[in-house]
Amino acid sequence: MTYTKNQLTYLVILRLLIGWHFLYEGVVKLWNPEWSSKGFMMSSEWIFEDLFQTMAQNEGILSMVDFINVWGLTIIGLLLILGLFNKAASIGGVALLAMYYLAHPPLVGIVSALPTEGSYLIVNKNLIELFALLVICAFPTSHIIGIEHLIAKFRGAAIDESTDSK
Amino acid sequence: MKEEEKGGMTRRDLIKGLVALPVLGGFVIGASSKRSHDRELKESILKELSIEAAEPPSSGPMSGDPIRVGIIGFGIRGHQLARAAGFATKEWIESMRQNALTNKNDTRLKDFLDQEDLNIIIAGVCDLFDVRAEELIDSFKTENHTPKRFRHYSEMLQSPDIDAVMIATADHWHAPIAIEATKAGKHVYIEKPMTHTLNETYELYDAVQSSGVVFQLGHQHRQTQSFLTAQDIIKKNVLGHISLVQTNTNRNDDNGAWQYLIHEKANPQTIDWDQFVSNRGSIPFNNEHFFRWRKWWTYGSGLTGDLMTHDYDRVNTIMKIGIPKFALTSGGIYTHIDGRNVPDVVQVALEFPDYTSGTSQEPGKEKGMTFLYSATLGNGHERPSIMMGHDGTMEIGNQLTVHAERRSTRYQAMIDEKVLVPEIPVFSYDPAMGVDGVTSATAKYFANRGLMYTYRDGKRVDSTFLHIREWLSCIRNGGNPSCGIEQGFQEAITALMSTISYKLGVRVEWDKDKREILNPNGVNYDEVLIS
């Protein structure tokens, strides 16, 4: 894939910003031993509310969900910033965001249980971040800027760095 | 421009590979400074307040011989008491089973089945309506034991097969039965309000004081963990001098207005009407009076006795206010024009000129408080209960929330330094979540919506169960129940003063030295109360 300098710059910045956001969301939960996804899932609305509430009410599943959230967010954030396993990290991030979106979708007729700072209809920030991660996945940059670049160099592989070749 | 050689590592490659490092460095600096800032705020607030979440009242083991309990009054509340004690009717279990099938979030049956066994036997029942007495016997009989039906409560109280009674009759029978039970040496769990007239209040007080029975008045909120934590908040003087406490009742449905169903089998043959009215003179049979007795002063206690007593006792639990010096009540029947004579809108102002919980100001500014109770049965909009002090305001419910007062003396420096923001709760307590110094909007939101339940030892529990358990534990292991005769006396006098004030349209005064309501005009208060 060939990028112009601007394209590469903005894609990398987008990757770093999303990474930062994931990492901080993860770290904040890690620092707060009382954090739990229970309230978020218990207040779920729309067609998946039964599923989320069942998960929240089962102590075993709940602790697994909490663990996946805390460490999923932290590790995905780190990987996006470092530029390592970016495809897997983006897809993992998309999966988490899809869950957040489906638990509380801003649809007509659903009064969100979550306090929000803006106004949303169908599209909210989770959905936008989800698609931004798909962009990161479809337009990879970590082989150019990131640890993956170093690994490739270390292995002596040829890297297509069209930006620089021009 | 081309400078890298394929396969070789250049300085430029290193920069490209490690561009994340400065970003991560920035992250670490940013996140740790944010964390230490938040921690400092939280710690300085919690240190200043030093509130401790209270432990539940201790309640001993339920071992030993089963206690033989008689139930007097097996109506709506009687059913609830029996369930809290571990006995549900077949009909209730079946309807809960159906509910759980259609709604798997309905865990009432599971909660009931998970409840600890209190090691009691329902040995007898006394209900004036045949259908209810038979329902109890049919549901609670076992292979080894059938509850005995007593036609008159006196027979039950004289029976050697009964150790303790739970009284959930109409209000006009609470005290007479409790007095006789106490004299017969039976332990008593009695529903609120404790009494219906003044004379019986004194008589019951003396009877319990001179007996060895364990007496518990049914204000189950005494077991609510948040109220116990609230006691610590008052003790630590977090709110400063409290000048106003406001509690409310907001209901807007027939059931809430005591318009209960009249059973289809109710008639003079199935109801012992004469016994029902035997302490109230000659009144012709009236189905509605029997099932909806809360609507008439003859049998019921109105909003002041029926519902204010819960709020009063809650506040008395937290603030130890005792009996007010003055009570002034106003109200009317404005919504339910259906023949009732108790008001459906009521405002009660109770004055406590000597009450003090301490102050952060100069001496002389620490005394006096009004307790305001406002009730309507014509609107269900929830108004929270609040305690308003010079330094802070506390909202009480299952959760507790404390806001600092903008003009507080105690917190002025912290407010000036922006460590405290009056709009954000400085303290919030949810028994399911623990203590938090600075709550997030989301956590508060979840807590207020009741999405988190109160747990004890990991189990969701009913406060009535805990209240009955405490009573049984005192019977078995000794000790005093949390809502005994002293607390009951305060509750009863306060409610009766408020009702007398409503009926006479005057401010009623309590003489705490003589322990009596002043009566300058020689009015027969007991006649006023039941007419």
Side-chain angles (χ1 to χ4, degrees):
Chain A
M1 195 159 302
T2 59
Y3 298 131
T4 66
K5 214 161 198 161
N6 277 349
Q7 285 169 337
L8 181 67
T9 307
Y10 298 142
L11 281 170
V12 169
I13 290 175
L14 182 62
R15 197 189 85 204
L16 292 174
L17 293 180
I18 296 176
W20 181 296
H21 181 216
F22 267 66
L23 180 59
Y24 189 62
E25 283 283 9
V27 162
V28 158
K29 293 171 179 61
L30 201 61
W31 278 342
N32 178 3
E34 279 168 23
W35 178 83
S36 167
S37 57
K38 183 165 185 158
F40 186 83
M41 295 202 287
M42 283 302 288
S43 57
S44 168
E45 282 182 88
W46 201 41
I47 55 173
F48 296 111
E49 65 179 56
D50 279 356
L51 176 72
F52 283 111
Q53 286 173 9
T54 309
M55 285 159 66
Q57 280 165 349
N58 181 313
E59 289 298 323
I61 297 178
L62 180 66
S63 60
M64 202 172 75
V65 169
D66 286 350
F67 182 85
I68 291 173
N69 264 292
V70 173
W71 287 105
L73 288 166
T74 307
I75 290 167
I76 290 168
L78 270 178
L79 293 179
L80 287 174
I81 292 176
L82 289 171
L84 189 64
F85 307 127
N86 266 198
K87 200 160 198 165
S90 325
I91 290 167
V94 166
L96 284 178
L97 288 165
M99 292 294 149
Y100 305 152
Y101 180 80
L102 292 175
H104 293 271
L107 306 181
V108 176
I110 291 181
V111 182
S112 175
L114 298 174
T116 54
E117 81 295 8
S119 308
Y120 305 107
L121 175 66
I122 301 171
V123 177
N124 63 11
K125 289 179 186 173
N126 282 334
L127 193 64
I128 295 170
E129 194 168 22
L130 187 158
F131 276 90
L133 266 185
L134 287 174
V135 170
I136 297 294
C137 187
F139 297 89
T141 52
S142 48
H143 63 295
I144 310 169
I145 305 283
I147 304 259
E148 280 174 29
H149 175 85
L150 280 188
I151 292 172
K153 279 287 175 185
F154 195 69
R155 285 181 179 163
I159 298 171
D160 176 12
E161 291 183 71
S162 309
T163 323
D164 286 354
S165 314
K166 278 178 185 167
Chain B
M1 296 282 285
K2 219 180 218 176
E3 61 178 271
E4 72 273 4
E5 291 154 25
K6 285 182 181 168
M9 188 81 75
T10 65
R11 206 178 58 173
R12 200 183 156 95
D13 287 326
L14 271 177
I15 294 170
K16 284 178 174 181
L18 299 175
V19 75
L21 288 183
V23 177
L24 277 179
F27 180 88
V28 169
I29 293 167
S32 61
S33 81
K34 168 111 176 85
R35 188 188 190 200
S36 66
H37 176 255
D38 288 353
R39 266 191 163 178
E40 239 168 66
L41 275 187
K42 185 168 167 170
E43 271 166 18
S44 61
I45 291 170
L46 285 180
K47 199 174 152 200
E48 167 71 26
L49 302 182
S50 74
I51 299 163
E52 284 156 31
E55 290 295 313
S58 58
S59 194
M62 290 290 116
S63 51
D65 290 337
I67 292 173
R68 299 165 303 170
V69 175
I71 293 182
I72 307 176
F74 193 55
I76 297 171
R77 189 61 188 155
H79 278 70
Q80 291 167 352
L81 290 184
R83 274 203 300 281
F87 295 83
T89 61
K90 288 175 181 169
E91 196 186 4
W92 184 85
I93 290 175
E94 185 46 38
S95 91
M96 288 303 123
R97 204 187 302 282
Q98 294 299 330
N99 286 344
L101 284 178
T102 50
N103 174 11
K104 63 178 166 14
N105 292 326
D106 189 336
T107 58
R108 281 176 290 179
L109 181 60
K110 186 178 176 301
D111 293 342
F112 169 74
L113 295 173
D114 286 347
Q115 206 171 271
E116 180 194 353
D117 182 355
L118 296 180
N119 188 20
I120 63 169
I121 294 171
I122 302 293
V125 58
C126 177
D127 194 288
L128 303 180
F129 180 33
D130 291 342
V131 173
R132 286 176 180 162
E134 285 158 13
E135 186 190 14
L136 182 145
I137 293 166
D138 181 49
S139 285
F140 300 167
K141 70 176 176 212
T142 62
E143 278 175 21
N144 310 319
H145 169 77
T146 302
K148 186 175 175 194
R149 179 167 184 198
F150 296 90
R151 298 278 168 176
H152 195 285
Y153 68 86
S154 294
E155 292 167 32
M156 179 190 276
L157 298 177
Q158 296 313 317
S159 166
D161 301 325
I162 300 284
D163 303 316
V165 291
M166 296 205 282
I167 303 168
T169 60
D171 294 352
H172 69 301
W173 279 111
H174 285 179
I177 297 174
I179 291 164
E180 205 173 313
T182 306
K183 287 180 176 165
K186 313 292 185 195
H187 303 291
V188 172
Y189 184 99
I190 184 175
E191 264 308 313
K192 55 83 214 171
M194 189 174 82
T195 61
H196 200 230
T197 66
L198 277 171
N199 277 333
E200 65 189 23
T201 308
Y202 292 103
E203 207 184 319
L204 177 58
Y205 182 85
D206 293 340
V208 174
Q209 287 293 31
S210 58
S211 78
V213 306
V214 177
F215 180 93
Q216 174 92 297
L217 175 60
H219 286 299
Q220 67 272 12
H221 301 288
R222 292 244 166 203
Q223 308 294 331
T224 305
Q225 221 161 330
S226 58
F227 298 150
L228 303 172
T229 301
Q231 286 178 359
D232 195 51
I233 292 176
I234 299 299
K235 208 169 83 192
K236 304 254 164 76
N237 197 20
V238 169
L239 305 182
H241 166 54
I242 298 168
S243 55
L244 181 64
V245 172
Q246 187 165 5
T247 71
N248 312 281
T249 293
N250 321 287
R251 291 181 171 185
N252 197 16
D253 60 301
D254 281 350
N255 197 57
W258 312 313
Q259 193 69 358
Y260 302 139
L261 279 179
I262 294 175
H263 199 280
E264 55 189 11
K265 288 185 182 158
N267 61 54
Q269 279 70 51
T270 56
I271 291 172
D272 185 351
W273 174 258
D274 290 343
Q275 196 184 149
F276 184 69
V277 296
S278 60
N279 62 351
R280 287 292 177 268
S282 166
I283 302 167
F285 179 82
N286 189 321
N287 253 346
E288 199 186 4
H289 281 210
F290 187 78
F291 286 93
R292 300 173 178 167
W293 51 265
R294 290 177 202 270
K295 287 165 52 178
W296 289 277
W297 292 114
T298 314
Y299 329 99
S301 312
L303 283 161
T304 39
D306 212 307
L307 295 174
M308 184 187 79
T309 47
H310 269 318
D311 287 298
Y312 165 80
D313 188 69
R314 252 176 257 200
V315 175
N316 201 20
T317 302
I318 298 170
M319 293 171 59
K320 313 275 187 293
I321 53 179
I323 298 169
K325 184 164 175 59
F326 300 106
L328 182 60
T329 308
S330 166
I333 306 169
Y334 303 137
T335 300
H336 300 274
I337 319 292
D338 56 5
R340 69 181 63 205
N341 64 8
V342 299
D344 54 19
V345 176
V346 145
Q347 321 300 319
V348 183
L350 304 173
E351 302 300 337
F352 298 83
D354 295 324
Y355 177 81
T356 180
S357 59
T359 182
S360 58
Q361 298 168 277
E362 65 268 30
K365 285 188 165 185
E366 70 280 355
K367 264 168 65 173
M369 182 269 293
T370 296
F371 176 120
L372 206 57
Y373 171 74
S374 169
T376 173
L377 300 181
N379 179 293
H381 182 81
E382 200 194 322
R383 292 175 292 170
S385 298
I386 50 175
M387 296 178 169
M388 308 175 82
H390 170 71
D391 295 317
T393 306
M394 174 159 61
E395 233 181 272
I396 52 170
N398 266 329
Q399 295 84 36
L400 298 176
T401 315
V402 178
H403 282 83
E405 249 299 293
R406 189 171 289 285
R407 300 284 174 219
S408 157
T409 303
R410 177 171 173 179
Y411 308 122
Q412 204 52 60
M414 291 177 94
I415 290 171
D416 290 346
E417 288 162 21
K418 300 212 179 338
V419 173
L420 278 187
V421 182
E423 287 75 22
I424 299 173
V426 292
F427 175 85
S428 118
Y429 171 74
D430 181 330
M433 305 271 283
V435 176
D436 194 359
V438 185
T439 32
S440 72
T442 323
K444 184 167 185 290
Y445 194 85
F446 287 138
N448 288 348
R449 287 201 12 149
L451 290 163
M452 304 292 180
Y453 302 112
T454 301
Y455 285 83
R456 244 173 229 189
D457 301 329
K459 274 187 187 172
R460 198 169 129 194
V461 285
D462 172 8
S463 52
T464 304
F465 160 79
L466 292 170
H467 208 47
I468 291 174
R469 193 191 191 286
E470 186 192 48
W471 173 60
L472 293 169
S473 173
C474 292
I475 295 173
R476 290 193 159 103
N477 312 306
N480 296 312
S482 53
C483 201
I485 190 65
E486 285 298 343
Q487 294 81 4
F489 184 79
Q490 294 168 358
E491 177 253 54
I493 295 291
T494 304
L496 296 176
M497 282 172 71
S498 309
T499 306
I500 293 168
S501 169
Y502 171 77
K503 294 208 152 184
L504 298 179
V506 296
R507 188 161 91 148
V508 173
E509 184 174 352
W510 174 250
D511 184 329
K512 72 172 181 207
D513 298 322
K514 290 187 185 155
R515 274 169 70 85
E516 63 181 31
I517 298 174
L518 294 188
N519 196 349
N521 300 318
V523 178
N524 184 336
Y525 284 148
D526 280 355
E527 244 170 47
V528 166
L529 282 165
I530 63 173
S531 58

